[in-house]
Amino acid sequence: MYLSIIIPTYNELSTIATIINHLQKCLVGKQYEIIVSDGGSTDETLAIAKKMGVKTVLSDVKGRSGQMNFGVKHASGDVFYFVHADSLPVVTFFEDINQAIANDYNCGSFRTKFDNAMLLLKCNAFFTRFNYLFFRGGDQSIFITRKLWQQVGEYKESMLIMEDYDFLARIWQKGKFKLIPKATIVSARKYEENTWLTVQLANLKIVKMYKKGASQQEMLSKYKELLSYRKNAF
């Protein structure tokens, strides 16, 4: 397996060195590439990534969907692994993905473990052990074979919110999905900048709007109104 790890970024000065260093330590002796697909950062995100020796590309389209698609266009691997800049995959992620592929799975993700010991967040993380689409998210990190990617299609670039859910729903339907029983460490900054209840209510509101067919702009505006998070999406 040759693994292309794609990290969409926008002003991730505080996290980019940590995630790249973590990945590189986990991948010694492995066949891989790390691609930082940037949305036009105004801080030192790209400079740091370049200095650390990873491939950096400046996406034509701002937003995670466009940046992840752009990263794939520059990827050489037969398996793509999408990782958020503020997440840390389990140390054995390469072996875990490789084993899943060997067992005829062509897509999948991991559970969640937050970088905050708050009891309510532990409750959230607990439910990610269940293999249902409702408990899956992009911050858990998603892998997909190139072959399935070509069948399913790329991330929808018109989507700046709920893009991971849409993508997961499509690979869930057309692929053979593996929930690896290990956890990606996920940043709790969304909860720290707001409150647990505020985030839960905001997520519930956006999911309801999405299912009722609300426009991207309507959902983005409402999310911005409800939460202080993902400034790069607006």
Side-chain angles (χ1 to χ4, degrees):
M1 179 181 72
Y2 188 94
L3 188 65
S4 292
I5 304 167
I6 299 164
I7 309 173
T9 58
Y10 181 73
N11 289 344
E12 291 289 356
L13 175 64
S14 64
T15 64
I16 191 63
T18 300
I19 178 63
I20 292 174
N21 184 58
H22 174 76
L23 292 172
Q24 290 174 332
K25 285 184 176 179
C26 296
L27 292 165
V28 175
K30 308 295 194 302
Q31 291 186 307
Y32 75 96
E33 62 182 351
I34 298 173
I35 303 172
V36 170
S37 184
D38 194 70
S41 293
T42 57
D43 63 9
E44 298 300 309
T45 298
L46 274 179
I48 293 171
K50 288 178 181 178
K51 188 175 181 180
M52 298 183 74
V54 304
K55 184 184 295 185
T56 59
V57 293
L58 185 60
S59 177
D60 294 334
V61 182
K62 181 179 177 181
R64 278 185 182 154
S65 293
Q67 290 169 227
M68 290 187 286
N69 291 341
F70 198 74
V72 167
K73 290 176 183 177
H74 291 80
S76 303
D78 50 292
V79 180
F80 307 137
Y81 184 39
F82 300 101
V83 179
H84 289 186
D86 59 354
S87 296
L88 290 177
V90 63
V91 171
T92 58
F93 72 86
F94 186 96
E95 291 83 359
D96 298 329
I97 294 172
N98 195 32
Q99 185 61 52
I101 300 298
N103 289 334
D104 294 325
Y105 292 94
N106 53 12
C107 59
S109 71
F110 295 76
R111 298 177 183 176
T112 292
K113 179 180 180 180
F114 287 100
D115 62 357
N116 183 306
M118 184 190 306
L119 180 59
L120 288 171
L121 291 182
K122 288 184 178 180
C123 291
N124 280 24
F126 174 82
F127 287 99
T128 65
R129 71 188 57 220
F130 301 115
N131 196 19
Y132 296 103
L133 182 59
F134 181 78
F135 299 121
R136 306 276 64 82
D139 52 4
Q140 296 164 345
S141 67
I142 302 168
F143 69 89
I144 180 172
T145 62
R146 178 184 289 271
K147 184 177 180 180
L148 181 60
W149 171 272
Q150 293 170 340
Q151 294 171 357
V152 170
E154 59 188 16
Y155 282 88
K156 294 179 180 177
E157 295 185 0
S158 60
M159 300 185 71
L160 295 176
I161 191 167
M162 297 293 291
E163 73 281 357
D164 283 323
Y165 183 87
D166 170 80
F167 183 70
L168 281 162
R170 285 185 283 131
I171 66 174
W172 194 279
Q173 182 181 33
K174 293 188 177 183
K176 186 178 179 183
F177 189 95
K178 173 65 176 179
L179 173 60
I180 294 173
K182 297 180 183 180
T184 298
I185 298 176
V186 174
S187 172
R189 61 182 176 178
K190 176 167 59 174
Y191 296 89
E192 294 165 352
E193 293 174 7
N194 300 275
T195 67
W196 181 87
L197 181 59
T198 299
V199 173
Q200 298 304 114
L201 292 175
N203 288 343
L204 180 61
K205 177 66 176 178
I206 298 305
V207 169
K208 286 183 176 179
M209 291 177 69
Y210 175 76
K211 290 186 175 181
K212 289 182 178 179
S215 70
Q216 285 288 299
Q217 191 55 54
E218 287 174 327
M219 288 188 288
L220 283 172
S221 297
K222 177 56 68 173
Y223 209 53
K224 184 176 181 179
E225 174 188 326
L226 297 173
L227 290 182
S228 170
Y229 184 63
R230 285 195 65 178
K231 297 179 178 62
N232 61 315
F234 305 108

